[in-house]
Amino acid sequence: MAAELMLPEMGLEPMGGGTAREIQFREALREAMSEEMRKDDRIFLMGEEVAQYNGAYKISQGMLDEFGPKRIIDSPISENGFAGLAVGAAMYGLRPIIEFMSWSFSLVAADQILNNVPKMLYMSGGQWGCPVVFRGNDGAGGQLGSTHSWCVEGLYSNVPGVKIAIPSNPYDAKGMLKTSIRDDDPVFFLESERMLGDKAHVPEREYTIPFGKAALRRQGDDCTVVSFGRPVNFCMDAADELKKEGINIDVLDMRTIRPLDIDSILDSVKKTGRIVVVDQCWPFASVASEVVTQVCERGFDYLDHQPLRVNTEDVPTPYAKNLEALYLPHKGKIMSAVKASLGRL
Amino acid sequence: MPRKSVYKAEIEHVQVMDENGVIDAAQSRNTLSDEEILELFKFMQQCRQLDEIAFKLQRSGRMGTYPQNKGQEAAAIGTAYAAKKGQDFLVPCYRENAALFMHGLPMHYVLLHWMGDERGNQIPEGVQQLPLCIPIGTQMLHATGIAWAFKMRKEPKVALTYFGDGATSEGDFHEAMNFASVYQVPLVFICQNNQWAISVPRESQMRSKTVAQKALAYDMPTYQVDGNDLLAVYKIAKECVDRARSGGGPSFIEAVTYRLADHTTADDARRYRDPKEVDMWLGRDPLIRLRKYLETKDLWDETKQKAHEEKCKAIVAEVVKTAEGIEKPSFDDIFDYTFAALNPELERQKKTARTSSLGQDPTQVGLAEQPQHV
């Protein structure tokens, strides 16, 4: 399975005379939900503040006006409650979209989203699927402090039975959310509050983005850099900077980590012999650890340098702005790791 | 300013037929006819027989853990009979098998479930219920979601969910009650208060004098019934189901009953329960009072009892034969049922199941494909 080529010189798609419409990440999410809801009346959106208040992050702005209170539903502050309600509604044939104001709050719903949602289909011998999309803000960067800055992908990706999507830009956000809503399996859709205002070209035509297929954002023979979600943008910044120094890297945006497009990673490593994984979770038993393990298991002979990881520091997320910035993966750390893998530090 | 009362409440205990099978005439309106009582009594015996045999299957190593339902059948049957089979939806925990059978679940499915075969959870077409739910309390939220879906789709259905007294200490219980109340969904909460959560007695589980009063906080109609009294359970359940169907929202029923057996086959309740307490409750067994009643009405006698026992044994023997005759699950199933469609990660895992790794490439590490049977 080859990664989808999405290099800057190609543009996000051939614009062929049409207008290059640019919208925000949050608008892309809203369009994905609204377009699907117009086509399928089984879909509803439930969460804290999603209706009257238009969403804590204004993602669902205007949706109550369009779809009414039966499909855009403010819930009591009870994450385990509405997660469990969604399980029942999905098992009875509806298609819930559940907004966690923050994935940090999903921890109180762990029994429903980890112990029920991913196991229903298995435990019922393939009968009772649970097609719920759980979505919301994931990750640090907004000075929200230790308890509100969770990156849940490290923790949740350990559990079989869910799909985990982490878009890095508005175009992917729309296409991947549509895929999530149409999927017959449960999907955890992780958005970064820091990216909601990001603008990019999002076509008005209908499109979806398949799960388990990475996008190649930069191309180069010197090193493979793998990332997902917001840090992909830091990797691209690092790639542009490194290019000036004559270092050319592959930047693979995984888009989904469950399923993981390990074949595209291996294809790239065969070419470069080097890999740096950039992951905004803590390092211990992280998605980065998993990628490195699989590369070692399946591509050990191709490596010319030990795999390297750029994670957050292994401490609770700091609140202070300067400390938080240093704690997260950033361009400088990524550049250093790439140079280290090339022996050019 | 003088203080004033802003809320007052009262919990009623409802009993129609006492331990001796005597019906309180004042309470007997809107209950069951003698023909219905006779049929349900016979059905209750069949369920009891299955329960006893299931216990023996576990003891003889033919089944995994099993939680006996013995003594609680009136609460299950009375509520299920008040709901419409094939229309209303049952969301169980694991001590109301009789309700599930009444609504069309073939008896061998429960045996399959406890034998560890997920096919026992594949509910047959047209049967409106979820599989048994072993985690405590999680199913109440699923029931709320299902009832919410009825409301959203404007379907004239009611959901009934079952749980024990211990489950009312869980957050899931309170969240489900709150959602059901706020959204006014057609749902009946049925607490089988069997006095014991494994070894923890009800009075150590909660300070509340009744379980029923917990529903007051959610402004729900709430009742305490004699859970071993089929007529009382039916009467109140019918009222709750009818109200829910006509848009009156959720209700709560505390059915006071008793777990006559151990928590499960992995438990020995003799270590923590006073045998006098058990003896007292043995006398309150729902089967005993129903039989007494039917005998006074000349609808039952020892000859009929013997004949029916033989019939139940034959039915249950057939059920066991069916369950044990089903071919063991295939190793492929564990991969095939994890997602709606097999993905490349799992396809690879299926081929390389010798290691715990997702990534092993058998051609690189020289592993043969995993044999299907070890």
Side-chain angles (χ1 to χ4, degrees):
Chain A
M1 187 189 305
E4 188 179 0
L5 282 174
M6 302 199 75
L7 303 171
E9 59 270 27
M10 299 169 70
L12 276 168
E13 66 156 1
M15 288 173 202
T19 50
R21 185 183 71 133
E22 288 207 341
I23 61 171
Q24 287 184 347
F25 199 110
R26 62 162 59 79
E27 293 169 317
L29 295 171
R30 186 187 311 144
E31 278 192 0
M33 290 192 286
S34 298
E35 287 173 18
E36 293 303 303
M37 285 183 74
R38 282 174 207 133
K39 283 186 292 201
D40 185 347
D41 62 10
R42 298 172 303 169
I43 305 169
F44 65 91
L45 171 68
M46 182 181 280
E48 290 151 1
E49 308 288 345
V50 298
Q52 288 294 338
Y53 196 67
N54 289 310
Y57 293 109
K58 305 301 168 206
I59 290 167
S60 54
Q61 186 129 37
M63 289 178 70
L64 175 64
D65 293 339
E66 179 176 354
F67 298 102
K70 284 193 173 152
R71 297 184 70 194
I72 307 294
I73 305 134
D74 275 333
S75 86
I77 306 173
S78 180
E79 287 80 7
N80 190 53
F82 56 77
L85 188 148
V87 173
M91 288 166 92
Y92 195 67
L94 298 184
R95 293 285 193 155
I97 303 173
I98 295 299
E99 178 173 310
F100 288 125
M101 192 184 290
S102 161
W103 273 97
S104 299
F105 309 157
S106 73
L107 298 174
V108 299
D111 188 60
Q112 288 294 343
I113 68 171
L114 302 180
N115 210 19
N116 283 272
V117 166
K119 299 176 179 174
M120 282 301 174
L121 188 72
Y122 176 84
M123 293 199 306
S124 60
Q127 187 181 35
W128 298 95
C130 229
V132 186
V133 179
F134 294 97
R135 44 158 290 270
N137 170 45
D138 175 76
Q143 262 203 292
L144 294 169
S146 295
T147 59
H148 285 43
S149 297
W150 267 86
C151 272
V152 293
E153 56 269 35
L155 203 57
Y156 292 174
S157 62
N158 187 239
V159 183
V162 287
K163 295 176 177 173
I164 302 184
I166 314 185
S168 67
N169 62 75
Y171 174 86
D172 280 8
K174 182 172 178 184
M176 286 163 61
L177 186 51
K178 284 187 155 229
T179 305
S180 305
I181 294 168
R182 293 178 194 180
D183 203 293
D184 286 334
D185 291 311
V187 180
F188 293 176
F189 194 90
L190 313 182
E191 302 149 12
S192 164
E193 175 246 337
R194 302 311 296 162
M195 293 198 296
L196 292 175
D198 287 2
K199 276 190 154 187
H201 170 61
V202 175
E204 281 169 271
R205 67 169 172 85
E206 179 70 41
Y207 70 98
T208 57
I209 293 174
F211 282 180
K213 195 171 174 63
L216 189 63
R217 305 279 180 204
R218 293 287 187 277
Q219 206 165 21
D221 295 340
D222 296 328
C223 181
T224 300
V225 175
V226 169
S227 193
F228 40 88
R230 183 174 175 235
V232 170
N233 298 284
F234 309 151
C235 296
M236 292 193 286
D237 292 345
D240 296 341
E241 204 73 29
L242 287 165
K243 194 170 186 178
K244 294 176 194 162
E245 300 178 32
I247 299 170
N248 293 299
I249 61 174
D250 269 0
V251 174
L252 273 171
D253 178 351
M254 300 319 296
R255 291 172 156 169
T256 58
I257 53 174
R258 284 287 214 159
L260 181 73
D261 182 7
I262 188 67
D263 294 336
S264 290
I265 297 174
L266 288 167
D267 283 348
S268 175
V269 170
K270 281 176 197 169
K271 178 181 72 172
T272 65
R274 291 168 172 83
I275 182 165
V276 173
V277 189
V278 183
D279 172 359
Q280 61 172 346
C281 282
W282 293 303
F284 197 95
S286 60
V287 177
S289 316
E290 179 61 29
V291 170
V292 167
T293 303
Q294 291 199 32
V295 167
C296 288
E297 282 176 336
R298 299 186 57 207
F300 191 74
D301 293 347
Y302 309 118
L303 291 169
D304 295 325
H305 190 278
Q306 72 264 39
L308 296 174
R309 292 181 292 162
V310 178
N311 286 85
T312 53
E313 303 305 326
D314 198 16
V315 298
T317 311
Y319 191 8
K321 196 170 185 173
N322 64 324
L323 299 182
E324 188 183 45
L326 291 167
Y327 155 90
L328 285 166
H330 55 70
K331 187 175 73 175
K333 287 185 186 176
I334 298 163
M335 289 173 67
S336 297
V338 169
K339 287 179 186 176
S341 79
L342 288 160
R344 287 171 64 170
L345 252 189
Chain B
M1 292 286 279
R3 295 185 187 188
K4 57 180 182 180
S5 168
V6 290
Y7 188 76
K8 272 187 185 153
E10 202 175 65
I11 305 285
E12 284 188 324
H13 180 88
V14 183
Q15 188 190 52
V16 177
M17 180 190 281
D18 71 12
E19 291 161 55
N20 298 312
V22 178
I23 286 184
D24 176 353
Q27 293 290 331
S28 65
R29 270 190 311 122
N30 302 326
T31 56
L32 301 164
S33 69
D34 285 351
E35 291 71 28
E36 287 175 307
I37 293 172
L38 178 63
E39 281 313 305
L40 295 175
F41 168 68
K42 283 154 75 176
F43 180 67
M44 196 182 284
Q45 288 199 55
Q46 190 180 316
C47 296
R48 178 70 63 87
Q49 174 66 15
L50 181 88
D51 200 59
E52 299 288 10
I53 292 299
F55 175 79
K56 288 179 181 162
L57 287 175
Q58 191 281 335
R59 282 293 186 259
S60 55
R62 290 152 75 188
M63 201 168 76
T65 313
Y66 178 72
Q68 279 200 268
N69 288 205
K70 190 177 174 178
Q72 300 185 207
E73 295 91 343
I77 291 176
T79 47
Y81 193 67
K84 289 186 184 169
K85 180 179 172 181
Q87 178 174 343
D88 294 335
F89 207 102
L90 307 185
V91 184
C93 56
Y94 48 80
R95 236 183 276 278
E96 45 280 325
N97 291 342
L100 309 180
F101 300 149
M102 170 164 278
H103 276 239
L105 186 75
M107 283 184 141
H108 72 274
Y109 273 57
V110 165
L111 299 185
L112 278 181
H113 173 98
W114 292 107
M115 286 171 174
D117 191 330
E118 314 295 356
R119 287 170 293 185
N121 295 335
Q122 287 173 336
I123 308 299
E125 188 71 32
V127 177
Q128 297 283 292
Q129 55 190 247
L130 288 191
L132 302 186
C133 180
I134 314 307
I136 299 302
T138 57
Q139 80 283 5
M140 294 182 248
L141 282 163
H142 305 163
T144 308
I146 288 167
W148 190 80
F150 295 158
K151 190 172 175 178
M152 190 171 164
R153 291 174 154 187
K154 299 190 173 69
E155 294 176 3
K157 299 181 176 182
V158 178
L160 293 86
T161 186
Y162 296 85
F163 48 93
D165 42 306
T168 67
S169 300
E170 289 281 8
D172 295 55
F173 165 76
H174 294 278
E175 292 180 277
M177 294 281 280
N178 189 48
F179 270 96
S181 163
V182 170
Y183 294 159
Q184 285 294 292
V185 299
L187 173 60
V188 184
F189 289 90
I190 300 154
C191 175
Q192 291 208 60
N193 173 8
N194 69 6
Q195 318 295 329
W196 290 90
I198 308 186
S199 72
V200 177
R202 195 198 63 81
E203 57 273 20
S204 303
Q205 190 72 237
M206 63 191 83
R207 285 279 287 177
S208 331
K209 288 194 173 52
T210 67
V211 185
Q213 74 201 63
K214 295 192 181 191
L216 294 173
Y218 304 101
D219 211 24
M220 249 180 236
T222 180
Y223 311 84
Q224 187 187 71
V225 301
D226 178 346
N228 287 1
D229 173 0
L230 182 69
L231 278 69
V233 172
Y234 169 77
K235 181 186 168 87
I236 296 302
K238 185 78 172 59
E239 201 179 307
C240 296
V241 167
D242 289 349
R243 179 171 45 243
R245 199 185 314 282
S246 61
S251 312
F252 185 91
I253 300 172
E254 173 190 0
V256 180
T257 180
Y258 194 75
R259 196 190 78 205
L260 287 179
D262 298 331
H263 166 65
T264 66
T265 45
D267 173 40
D268 180 2
R270 288 172 302 182
R271 293 158 74 174
Y272 53 80
R273 287 205 302 205
D274 182 349
K276 283 185 207 144
E277 179 187 287
V278 181
D279 283 346
M280 183 185 75
W281 281 95
L282 276 168
R284 294 180 184 170
D285 186 327
L287 281 171
I288 296 175
R289 72 181 73 176
L290 287 172
R291 184 173 171 177
K292 281 180 179 167
Y293 173 78
L294 291 167
E295 283 176 349
T296 59
K297 291 271 176 175
D298 281 334
L299 290 166
W300 202 251
D301 55 33
E302 186 58 25
T303 316
K304 284 181 178 163
Q305 177 66 24
K306 283 275 174 270
H308 188 60
E309 277 174 16
E310 289 311 311
K311 190 180 164 195
C312 290
K313 280 181 190 165
I315 290 171
V316 169
E318 202 54 43
V319 167
V320 172
K321 203 170 141 192
T322 306
E324 291 192 322
I326 289 169
E327 202 187 337
K328 293 281 172 276
S330 142
F331 188 55
D332 284 351
D333 293 355
I334 67 171
F335 301 105
D336 294 345
Y337 294 151
T338 296
F339 289 105
L342 197 64
N343 64 32
E345 280 177 3
L346 276 178
E347 209 158 347
R348 190 179 293 125
Q349 178 82 0
K350 198 171 166 180
K351 287 183 186 154
T352 63
R354 183 169 294 184
T355 75
S356 60
S357 165
L358 272 178
Q360 290 285 19
D361 179 346
T363 56
Q364 186 173 357
V365 294
L367 286 172
E369 290 201 358
Q370 172 76 3
Q372 274 282 301
H373 301 286
V374 184

